[in-house]
Amino acid sequence: MLSRRAVVREALIALVRQAGLGAREHTGGAASSQSEVVLVEAVGDISRAVALRQSDPSVGVVVLSDDSLADGGQALALIEAGCSILPPEATAHDLLYALKAAARGEIIIPPALARRLARGRAAAPQAEAMVELLSDREREILALLGAGMTNKAIAQRLYLSVRTVEGHVASLCAKLGVHSRTEAVLLALRTGLLPLFE
Amino acid sequence: MKTRVAVLGTVADLHAAGIAYDLETLTRLADDLAPDLLCAQVPRDAWERGESGGFEVEYREALVPLAKVSDIVIVPVMTPSPEPPAVGWRRWLIGVVDRAFRWAVRTASSPEIINAGWFSHVCAVLCELHIRLGGALVRAWWEASNRVVLENLQAAIARDPAARVLVTVDCRRKHGLERELRRIAGVDVVPYHAL
């Protein structure tokens, strides 16, 4: 059991022992050869969990996550490292199940997280198709629309006439099947063609 | 389809010297013409840094403010380096030529005359005299800056061939620039009032 908080460590060790499994405190660093699974409390920082798996792939790692794992990027990093993830609302039963599964080499992921990650992956091909549809200049203008620039500002940035920029905006809207620059930007954000935050 | 390009000669600080071709007249002229692109004799690096304080008065106080409140897009086409000064007797002779040029502009006074073909010839002759008297460094600068202006114009036209382009340059460059632009395929050089 790896956690910063002594009370959490002691409580979880007691819970696991009560279920007839062996448990002890993990003192950090590489897992001992006798450990089969390391339970890690990851509060905003997943690096220790990932490092444990990387140092010894034969050790199972189960991560007690908090709401910071709403960021799909961190969740993916844990899964790719071979870590199981328990959500904040996991029960004692869920914990014991995950520990036993990890000892067998399985990875446990909360269903809601799995669905969200799957949706994100499914959206990626849409972004790729959009990239293929749009010309280089249209992609450039879409990015500037996403930055909130007016047609005049875009024209001045790119040294094009306003009429030409208006033409490109109309063209990219038609190609994307939307009716306004706002819809074009929203579609691009939703599909990952434009990043949500810079 | 050819890109319509007109060259409008400007007269720098003389616009503010009480002649008929003053800053207000220049602003009104450019506003009436309403070009899509205004290729201006200002350096690109200073323009992109927003440093218009060093621009000639016709840009600082007339054309840039006009562009901000209209759909006119300014395309900077000038080289950033200033003309090197002539020295010694060359400097004195250039001073004489430049005073003759200023006298000609004050006499001509209106935008129509200053941009007329024959006046452009006069300005071009005075410009050539200025260059020859200035020496090798001054000649090299004028040749390089004319080349940079032309290349930047070609790039602007290639980027947006459907645009109506107004080029504003020192009236001494007008004649030579129009000659070079007429050599470019796909460009239709027109008088400024026909843009």
Side-chain angles (χ1 to χ4, degrees):
Chain A
M1 174 62 205
L2 186 61
S3 169
R4 287 198 192 97
R5 293 179 286 186
V7 64
V8 171
R9 283 198 305 274
E10 288 165 12
L12 288 172
I13 288 171
L15 174 69
V16 172
R17 283 178 181 164
Q18 213 173 32
L21 303 174
R24 65 173 180 83
E25 180 179 327
H26 189 279
T27 51
S32 76
S33 58
Q34 289 184 327
S35 297
E36 290 187 71
V37 179
V38 179
L39 181 60
V40 179
E41 188 191 17
V43 181
D45 178 14
I46 63 167
S47 57
R48 283 188 301 172
V50 172
L52 274 169
R53 279 287 297 177
Q54 287 172 346
S55 66
D56 188 351
S58 68
V59 171
V61 173
V62 176
V63 174
L64 290 175
S65 73
D66 60 4
D67 290 332
S68 66
L69 278 193
D71 166 14
Q74 285 202 319
L76 269 176
L78 284 170
I79 295 165
E80 283 167 353
C83 302
S84 292
I85 301 173
L86 281 177
E89 62 272 17
T91 63
H93 173 80
D94 295 333
L95 171 63
L96 295 170
Y97 180 86
L99 287 173
K100 291 174 185 173
R104 292 192 297 270
E106 295 168 11
I107 299 174
I108 302 298
I109 307 171
L113 176 61
R115 278 195 294 274
R116 193 164 72 245
L117 291 175
R119 271 200 302 274
R121 292 283 198 197
Q126 279 191 38
E128 287 167 11
M130 284 167 64
V131 166
E132 294 295 316
L133 270 179
L134 303 179
S135 67
D136 290 345
R137 184 64 89 187
E138 287 165 349
R139 282 198 291 278
E140 191 176 21
I141 289 175
L142 181 58
L144 295 177
L145 288 175
M149 293 175 78
T150 63
N151 284 353
K152 173 67 190 293
I154 293 172
Q156 188 59 74
R157 168 77 69 91
L158 301 179
Y159 299 124
L160 296 172
S161 66
V162 171
R163 279 189 302 140
T164 295
V165 169
E166 287 170 349
H168 283 307
V169 172
S171 173
L172 69 89
C173 284
K175 287 180 181 179
L176 298 179
V178 297
H179 298 102
S180 71
R181 60 206 281 129
T182 306
E183 284 184 39
V185 170
L186 285 173
L187 178 61
L189 288 170
R190 209 163 48 237
T191 56
L193 186 61
L194 290 179
L196 192 55
F197 298 108
E198 288 290 321
Chain B
M1 183 194 68
K2 290 190 171 189
T3 304
R4 291 172 72 81
V5 179
V7 182
L8 183 69
T10 61
V11 293
D13 60 311
L14 288 168
H15 282 294
I19 61 173
Y21 191 13
D22 60 10
L23 291 173
E24 198 181 313
T25 302
L26 175 62
T27 302
R28 206 166 41 243
L29 200 57
D31 193 23
D32 288 345
L33 292 173
D36 297 318
L37 302 179
L38 195 158
C39 293
Q41 193 179 312
V42 298
R44 183 167 179 156
D45 54 349
W47 169 258
E48 291 183 350
R49 289 194 302 267
E51 295 169 1
S52 60
F55 294 171
E56 296 284 5
V57 64
E58 67 264 43
Y59 299 104
R60 204 171 63 237
E61 296 185 19
L63 297 174
V64 170
L66 173 64
K68 282 183 180 165
V69 298
S70 68
D71 277 351
I72 297 172
V73 171
I74 289 195
V75 182
V77 297
M78 188 59 177
T79 175
S81 62
E83 178 179 351
V87 292
W89 60 269
R90 292 183 185 278
R91 189 171 174 171
W92 181 83
L93 278 175
I94 282 180
V96 172
V97 171
D98 288 351
R99 281 194 293 277
F101 165 70
R102 293 170 76 85
W103 173 85
V105 168
R106 285 178 190 272
T107 304
S109 192
S110 71
E112 294 80 12
I113 296 175
I114 287 170
N115 282 281
W118 67 266
F119 193 84
S120 293
H121 275 285
V122 170
C123 290
V125 167
L126 290 173
C127 182
E128 185 58 28
L129 208 49
H130 171 112
I131 291 170
R132 282 173 186 264
L133 291 173
L137 283 178
V138 169
R139 169 170 287 279
W141 182 85
W142 273 87
E143 286 174 356
S145 63
N146 282 338
R147 193 168 51 247
V148 165
V149 168
L150 187 63
E151 284 170 358
N152 285 331
L153 281 177
Q154 284 180 289
I157 291 166
R159 252 191 321 268
D160 200 348
R164 291 164 52 252
V165 181
L166 181 67
V167 185
T168 54
V169 288
D170 184 318
C171 62
R172 292 173 296 177
R173 291 182 191 266
K174 177 177 156 72
H175 179 72
L177 185 57
E178 283 178 328
R179 185 182 59 228
E180 293 301 319
L181 284 170
R182 286 193 185 97
R183 292 183 180 154
I184 302 173
V187 170
D188 187 13
V189 180
V190 300
Y192 72 89
H193 51 79
L195 186 62

